[in-house]
Amino acid sequence: MERSHPAKLNRRFRDRLRGKRVVCLDIPDDYGFMQPELVALLEQRVGRHL
């Protein structure tokens, strides 16, 4: 999710997101599906939020 996405999500899904936290991992949309570099970044950045 890029930095602009949380605001877009909030505008579109405000009622469903109420009381929930949206975390921006600041990973650009430059990777292919299951690309090893993307998986490594996700594992690195998501762990602290779970």
Side-chain angles (χ1 to χ4, degrees):
M1 177 181 311
E2 296 177 9
R3 294 221 178 261
S4 64
H5 293 159
K8 290 178 184 178
L9 285 170
N10 194 37
R11 280 194 303 272
R12 187 167 180 188
F13 302 106
R14 182 179 316 271
D15 293 336
R16 294 185 188 126
L17 291 175
R18 190 164 318 207
K20 296 180 177 71
R21 191 174 91 193
V22 174
V23 176
C24 180
L25 299 176
D26 200 26
I27 297 175
D29 191 16
D30 297 334
Y31 299 95
F33 180 72
M34 296 299 289
Q35 185 173 338
E37 295 85 359
L38 173 60
V39 173
L41 268 175
L42 287 169
E43 288 174 345
Q44 175 188 7
R45 296 186 185 180
V46 168
R48 64 186 100 152
H49 299 289
L50 296 178

